Amino acid sequence: MNVNQHTPMASPYGQPQPGYSQPGYAPLDGGYPAPYAPYNGPASAYQPGAPPQGYSPFTSFPSKAVTANPVSDLSSPLDLGPARGPPASGPPPVSAPQPYNQYSHSQGDMQNGPPTMTQAPPRPAASQPYNPGAMNLSGPHPSYPQHYGPPSTIQQVTNQMTGMQIASGPPTPAGPGYAPPHSSQPPVSTAYSAAPPPSYTQAIPPVSSAPTQPPPPSGPATSQQYYGGPPPSSQQPFNSSLPPTSQQQFTSSAPPPPSSQQTFPPTSYSGPVPPPSQAPAPPVSQSQQSFPPTQPPFSSAPPPVSQPAFLSGPPPPVQGSFPPRAPPPSSQPGSFPPPGPPPTSTSSQYPGPMPPQQQPPLSQPSPYHSGPPPPRAQMPPTSMPQSNHLPPGPQGPPGPPGPLQQPPPQPGMQGGYPPQQNGAFGQVRGPQPGYAGPYPGQPNYGAPAPAPAPAPPAQKRLDPDAIPSPIQVIEDDKAKSTEPFTTGVRGQAPPLVTTNFQVKDQGNASPRFIRCTAYNMPCTADMAKQSQVPLAAVIKPLATLPPDETPPYVVDHGEGGPIRCNRCKAYMCPYMQFIEGGRRFQCGFCSCVTEVPPHYFQHLDHTGKRVDCYDRPELSLGSYEFLATVDYCKNNKLPQPPAFVFLIDVSYNAVKSGMVSIVCQELKTLLDYLPRENPEMDSVVRVGFVTYNKVLHFYNVKSSLAQPQMLVVSDVSDMFVPLLDGFLVNVNESRLVIESLLDQIPEMFADTRETETVFGPVIQAGLEALKAADCAGKLFVFHTSLPIAEAPGKLKNREDKKLIGTDKEKSLFQPQVGFYNNLAKECVAQGCCVDLFLFPNQYVDVATLGVVPVSTGGSVYKYTYFQAQSDQERFLNDLRRDIQKPVGFDAVMRVRTSTGIRATDFYGSFFMSNTTDVELAGLDCDKAITVEFKHDDKLSEETGALMQCAMLYTSCSGQRRLRIHNMAVNCCSQLADLYRNCETDTIINFFSKYAFRGILNNPTKAVRDTLVNQCAQILACYRKNCASPSSAGQLILPECMKLLPVYLNCVLKSDVLLPGADVSLDDRAYLRQLISCMDVAETHVFFYPRLLPLMKLESGSLPVAVRDSEERLSKGGVYLLETGLHLFLWVGASAQQELLLNIFGTQSFSQIDPSMTSLPVLDNPFSQRLREIIDSFRAQRSRYMKLMVVKQEDRAELIFRHFLVEDKSASGGASYVDFLCHMHKEIRQLLS
Amino acid sequence: MATFPEYIAQNEERDGVRFSWNVWPSSRLEATRMVVPVAALFTPLKERPDLPPIQYEPVLCSRATCRAVLNPLCQVDYRAKLWACNFCYQRNQFPPSYAGISEVNQPAELLPQFSTIEYVVQRGPQMPLVFLYVVDTCMEDEDLQALKESLQMSLSLLPPTALVGLITFGRMVQVHELGCEGISKSYVFRGTKDLNAKQLQEMLGLTKPSATQGRGPQTAQQPLSNRFLQPVQKIDMNLTDLLGELQRDPWPVTQGKRPLRSLGVAMSIAVGLLECTFPNTGARIMTFIGGPATQGPGMVVGDELKTPIRSWHDIEKDNAKFMKKATKHYESLANRASTNGHIIDIYACALDQTGLLEMKCCANYTGGYMVMADSFNTSLFKQTFQRVFTKDVQGSFKMAFAATLEVKTSREIKVSGAIGPCVSLNAKGPCVSENEIGTGGTCQWKICGLDPSTTLALYFEVVNQHNAPIPQGGRGAIQFVTQYQHSSGQRRIRVTTTARNWADAQTQIQSIAASFDQEAAAILMARLAVYRAETEEGPDVLRWLDRQLIRLFMFHLRRSPFLQVFNNSPDESSYYRHQFNRQDLTQALIMIQPVLYAYSFNGPPEPVLLDSSSILPDRILLMDTFFQILIYHGETVAQWRKAGYQDMPEYENFKHLLQAPVDDAQELLHTRFPMPRYIDTEHGGSQARFLLSKVNPSQTHNNMYAWGQESGAPILTDDVSLQVFMDHLKKLAVSSAA
């Protein structure tokens, strides 16, 4: 179902998918084997303990059973319920199968009604044999509870798995799959074409279901309890028990024979879950896993057939891998054996998925065609496509799934499986690297891969490869975006931020300036509320454009100033409709009709367009600037050129760390690069200097002086500027004096013993200086310590780790005194922007010190434990960039919108004194503002929703200007349209800012819950209203939001929302403020770092990134990880010598110096290219990233691992898989 | 025995003391009937080149409440090595060092000619002199340039070990750190916020010395300099450059506004700086101001030019809104400075008023100079300032620091108070009268700044009861003990012991009358009148004065700027009164009754009556009013001069005639401090008004024809002439109703 829907939704994707699937398959076959092996390992573990107990675990089983049922789709949610119930009944192991069936039935009834029924019968039959498998399944269950909590991954996985399975397996396939099974192939294909994407979503759903299992949340609680008891020890039991269930399920499914088989594919999803436990599935990549489960059933019933198919197609590899596994589960084998065939089935699954998409896989097709395959195939296909989505589900379970999955394969392998499982897990992981290899297919997965992925997940827990892969999505988008993006089409979503593309302004602002969360806005508030999709735009008014794009034209409308609508004051733009022969124009925002001033009159052509339309930027472009008249200036006076004031801490710490001398030294050259508009001219920006510790020292550097004069102001309680003339000077005129001063400052304070500093007065001083000079400007404050000296704005150390996690935690993010808020207000009024460079050795209360920078549009830079030698480069590059970058001052930004919506909330570094005007003392090219819109009326589909962002500012040459960005998006009355045209990256940008502001006033946990809830609601709404009916157990994600869970999880586990023990309060406050003004590209890479394998480098293109998970790292490889703030070079312990030689100039791993901050310059193409890449990364980001070399197994690896965001984090953050399961559970709860 | 005038002159010459009565009525009742109290003008540091300081310390009476110094009036028992205190009659043992004493071997302090004697205290460290310049930068460039040059010049006049500091102010106040290499540093303070010494100390980073100061003995080890006050020899060049680079206050002054001048805070910081670095050490805060304080504490006028600075009229109407507050501010500064023994000098050079009225106490309480001129670019200022650093024959400055004056009296007489540049030390004692005149209630006063002409008026009360006759030949004694810091850094003690005969007013009224010192009495009464004028309403003082004994001086006193505020700004009044209160008798007399000399072909220069009748066409007049030296050429002489006769060889005598008064004027100019305004004018000249306002208007437009005289010049005034005044006075004197 979902699949179908999805496919339709993502029609575009659908197409690509096929292609993907094909390639994917091939690789899969090859690669999977290895994966399986690893999985088996875990699986085996599960089995051992679990089997017996497993039954009692039944409760869990039920869930699994459910999952099995889920296979039928709907069952999953229900399953959980029953499952729990069952647990009590636990005993039933033997009966379990039956119960399962029953459960499944009941559940199935609940869920799928018919499908289960059909399935049920079969299952029972097979169930018994499968029991062992069931055991495994149970394993997973226990894991669930754990997952939520801190459970071991395995447990979690299992939990997830179970959930996943439940959802995924049964759902999609069950419904449609079953019905058409035989003919299924056709259907599948149809389905695919129609819904390849959906399939993904579907697939996902299961995954999600698995996550949901993460029980933590609602259901979780109970489930957890249940699980809780058993988890640890029970896990194994569970596993064992689970397996049974799974087996049962399988069996049951299997029994159903053909139809069941068909279901299997679906079951595969569901199955996957069980399979994981079984292990078999896992080994093979996901696809295999999925197969296994299916296979099992098949095995019982049609297995043979499937096997054959496999054999024909992928069998060899699969078998190869499987065999080993199979052997272990000797006990299981019996039952499994049939499954054994499954492997083939797995292949069949692949095929299945494949088929649907592309039957292409040679081997696969055959399987499908062969007996049962078809149906399965269909099922799988759906799953496959879904896989993208599904993956999550499967992944969730991964841990446990592993075992489960393995079992399935085992079944296939029979004897082989058990052992595999046991060893498999271990092996599997080992093999993983291998996976990578095989994975190459993965990329393919990206689109189509999903399908394959899904399958595997089912078998293991959730196979990470089966859940939506950010990398895949990114790569797909890259592949898709070959043409320049033209902005003329209303409501067209731009390429992702990770894609390089050219923009042609044809009437809407470039996505570099504005990105929206939704390009189809709901027409009504009800819709918006129902969907819960945030309506927001991330605006970066002064964004830097690439050299091949034209910067906004400057338009001068003469003395009268820009032409504006009389009523809403919107500025002339392409949305203004000229009427009455061009004598008037009607405002596109408020519909008010305004006279065209005579000097602006122009005739209209036959289409009603002004004939000069294309001569005037304001009539044809999305972004342009107006020259502002004196009416737009403060005090009706044209502004003075801005000034830069450098305020340098010269207390003991600052001097000792070398900061003072570095700054002074650097400023001497840096002053030649002050921002200017015309590169030919000297900058008109004036500069001034202040040093301070407990008192402030101003410097008179007037050009006529022979030597600088220092003016000490020690009355810090009532700050003032002691001099007027000679403080702010032109660099060229006063060069000698300035240089003399900068030479002397470090000497003068070389032996200072003053350790106390002030801070409030420092900003006041800069502010007063600008006031006295009557200009706007920027303060560069270089500060080291908590300002404890007696002065306004004095702070005390309030870092208290005990508050973390309590309701009082929020207070730590709030400024500890109100002084800085007031100061910020004054700064904004004067147009005084503050950039703060911190060099703390201990707590400095960034939350408070950052108030002024954040409110004035400034930046905070933090160099903890600054050491001249190692941090100088980063600091200086930041400083250089910060000083040189284009910046506007004394800005006011206003966003006007069509009647019907309204900008209601703003996020970023600025100040607001009313509800509509964003006041920015300064705004540079890297700062973005996120604006949230709310309905206050209806929008019409016809006119769409218009927004105009107008920013009045003073340029660095002192010119007053208005920068206008226009943006039009579509409006829709169908939720499906809304979900078709969203941008997840932007949504995440919004969510992160929303959450990071939220923690100021709410407990962190509440904020996290809110996020999860809203996300669940978004997805549930989609599921409910847009996805085709299917089992509730299925996780179905909208194509354009399929990464929402993974990204959201990254937000949730960020240091701000979920701090590890070693994360200081300052760091959190710092990140919090930092993110508040990030644009989409920055938040994207910040939350989901870019991880590049460096084994092969080609000039001209970057290697394809891999997902942020440790599993993706090969011991023999070298990887580069970039977050926008950090840059890591991870070196595998057994990296090839040649690689090391090329990069480090040494052959030995042990000789690599982990303290290096830059790579040696070696004369080989590899080294050159690598350094090129690093440089290009640094150039892309607004802050310089210091390179950290991390050797595998080194202590520093802990830091590095923190950025492998798909894995569980040390601070307790869920892995992607776990979270997906959790999310699924949430969704199911919302739906039920 | 010499005549009284001789006796008086001799006493003044030797002791610097002039009593209103030189024979004292022996009972309280009689004394009060005398109207003019027994009082003395005392010049503590009267120049005595013939008096070598004694290199040991004085011997004190052992009675704790007495502590009088051994003096020639004491009875000495050479055998028993005992001496009897002539104030309390305590018998004291001579200290061991006097073991060799005998009738023929007397220490100096027992010799009658050493009624005034100076001791050098050997204990304690030699304190450096401290000079802190407080410089206004809100003035025209020319003025500022002149001032900078004067200041730079002054550095060469200071002893090399003297510590100097520099504070400049305009809108802000800058305390300059001296002796910085490569970069000049200064601490800047807002001109609107007053700071106490402790805050200042912290802000200037001067806390360390105080930390080590701890206890008494440690105090002596205070560092002798800090970053802001350094020895001239060390930072001579640096400071010269610094002064050279001084710029006019850079803050913009918009049309119609006065520059913002933070004088009040600048002085406060100066006082605070010295307070926390050199308490109880002689120091001069030399304030150079080019206009009134216009902001912050101590402001005397707003910065709007349209609102003029307060006039007497405003003050009478209670319309001077800043005056009280400002006065209070400066008073508190003056008190702080005087407590620490620091002098505040004010050099105010501006065409308009600068707020001397409010600031007067700074100079008055601390013995500082107050100099008023039109511009820093005038010889009046330049030479006056240079003369501050005049040295005596020994090469020391003619200035002394941080002095205390103690008065000890015989039992029959007590001290009521003092009027002069001093503050009370609130030392109660047996010789303090309950009856206060001037600054009373104490027998000790602090005089932070002294020069050889500084003169205090001390008022006494005879307390002997009528029924307790004093034995024949009894004498009343008064001892003045002045401890001060000599400009060489030494602590010195000058002791003057003087005695006068008692006389029974009923039997010896003639001798008492004969002993009356008219001049001294006039000045003493004038001081009292001025003191009252300062503290009470003007007309009342005149009425009081009129009720008192009146002579010629009183006529002029009534018309003088000391009591009349008409035609004088409040600042001028304050200035004149300040000078009057500190100058010695001769100078004070000149102030009250200017001296007029006539030069003509008729004979040698002769003093003439200060009367309009003295203004004759063929005379050249030289008038010395203390504040002005005026040369007035009579109508004919002026015409001759215009015709250029003096340049003709045959009229060389005329040239000499013209030159004579100029030479005499130069002589006066050279010796006087502050430098008087020198005016050269002629009949009908606008500056002649200075002369016409002073002379007795015996001829006015009202009576000029009645006398039919050919001589003299009519004065256009409604003031009564001396003749009328005297007539009226005679009438009053004989009427019992007076």
Side-chain angles (χ1 to χ4, degrees), chain B residues 521-538:
Chain B
I523 300 304
L524 285 163
M525 290 310 284
R527 283 218 182 180
L528 206 47
V530 168
Y531 183 83
R532 290 196 171 215
E534 289 274 279
T535 50
E536 296 169 24
E537 291 299 312

Side-chain angles (χ1 to χ4, degrees), chain B residues 35-39 41 416-420 436-439 457-460 520-536 541 544-545 548 554 557 562-563 580-581 592:
Chain B
V35 179
V36 173
V38 173
L41 282 169
S416 300
I419 296 178
E436 278 189 45
I437 299 177
T439 309
L458 292 157
Y459 299 84
F460 300 94
I523 300 304
L524 285 163
M525 290 310 284
R527 283 218 182 180
L528 206 47
V530 168
Y531 183 83
R532 290 196 171 215
E534 289 274 279
T535 50
E536 296 169 24
V541 177
W544 169 82
L545 190 62
Q548 305 296 317
M554 290 303 132
L557 180 61
F562 307 113
L563 296 183
F580 182 71
N581 267 345
I592 293 178

Side-chain angles (χ1 to χ4, degrees), chain B residues 262-309:
Chain B
S262 318
L263 176 57
V265 170
M267 288 178 71
S268 166
I269 288 174
V271 169
L273 174 60
L274 290 178
E275 191 171 24
C276 59
T277 50
F278 291 97
N280 297 312
T281 303
R284 287 200 99 88
I285 296 170
M286 309 178 91
T287 313
F288 304 87
I289 58 179
T294 48
Q295 72 167 0
M299 71 183 283
V300 296
V301 64
D303 65 342
E304 290 284 349
L305 267 179
K306 65 186 178 192
T307 48
I309 193 167

Side-chain angles (χ1 to χ4, degrees), chain B residues 228-243:
Chain B
F228 307 100
L229 296 165
Q230 301 220 12
V232 176
Q233 55 194 2
K234 196 171 150 201
I235 45 87
D236 193 5
M237 293 301 295
N238 181 279
L239 187 54
T240 305
D241 292 347
L242 196 57
L243 287 169

Side-chain angles (χ1 to χ4, degrees), chain A residues 699 705-715 717-725 741 744 748 772, chain B residues 172 174 177 180-190 192-193 195 202-204 208 245 247 250-252:
Chain A
Y699 295 93
L705 292 175
Q707 60 182 32
Q709 290 177 350
M710 175 206 252
L711 301 169
V712 184
V713 172
S714 37
D715 183 7
S717 60
D718 191 9
M719 205 55 220
F720 61 94
V721 176
L723 76 171
L724 182 61
D725 196 20
L741 171 66
Q744 286 189 54
M748 270 193 294
Chain B
M172 311 283 173
Q174 283 176 254
E177 191 172 326
C180 308
E181 295 291 328
I183 191 165
S184 60
K185 296 185 195 171
S186 58
Y187 284 68
V188 187
F189 297 88
R190 204 181 256 268
T192 52
K193 189 174 159 189
L195 301 165
E202 274 173 17
M203 290 180 183
L204 292 179
K208 278 168 200 157
E245 277 189 6
Q247 295 293 316
W251 297 87

Side-chain angles (χ1 to χ4, degrees), chain B residues 365-496:
Chain B
Y365 288 7
T366 63
Y369 299 128
M370 190 189 276
V371 174
M372 196 168 80
D374 291 344
S375 159
F376 288 107
N377 199 14
T378 57
S379 62
L380 193 162
F381 165 74
K382 289 179 185 171
Q383 296 199 14
T384 302
F385 181 58
Q386 197 166 352
R387 216 160 288 167
V388 169
F389 302 101
T390 315
K391 290 178 178 147
D392 62 17
V393 286
Q394 278 106 28
S396 343
F397 284 137
K398 289 185 176 179
M399 57 172 95
F401 300 87
T404 55
L405 168 64
E406 182 170 8
V407 174
K408 301 188 186 305
T409 58
S410 303
R411 284 176 182 168
E412 301 81 9
I413 193 166
K414 296 193 177 195
V415 62
S416 300
I419 296 178
C422 60
V423 290
S424 163
L425 277 176
N426 274 326
K428 307 292 182 198
C431 49
V432 176
S433 160
E434 289 171 6
N435 201 0
E436 278 189 45
I437 299 177
T439 309
T442 178
C443 61
Q444 292 181 25
W445 292 264
K446 184 147 201 163
I447 315 166
C448 301
L450 277 174
D451 63 32
S453 68
T454 303
T455 302
L456 264 62
L458 292 157
Y459 299 84
F460 300 94
E461 185 185 21
V462 177
V463 292
N464 194 37
Q465 293 305 314
H466 187 62
N467 52 10
I470 295 168
Q472 186 67 26
R475 303 186 83 192
I478 295 178
Q479 188 172 58
F480 303 96
V481 181
T482 312
Q483 307 192 37
Y484 68 99
Q485 181 188 333
H486 190 255
S487 62
S488 65
Q490 290 171 329
R491 249 352 278 167
R492 293 190 180 186
I493 300 173
R494 185 184 277 220
V495 180
T496 297

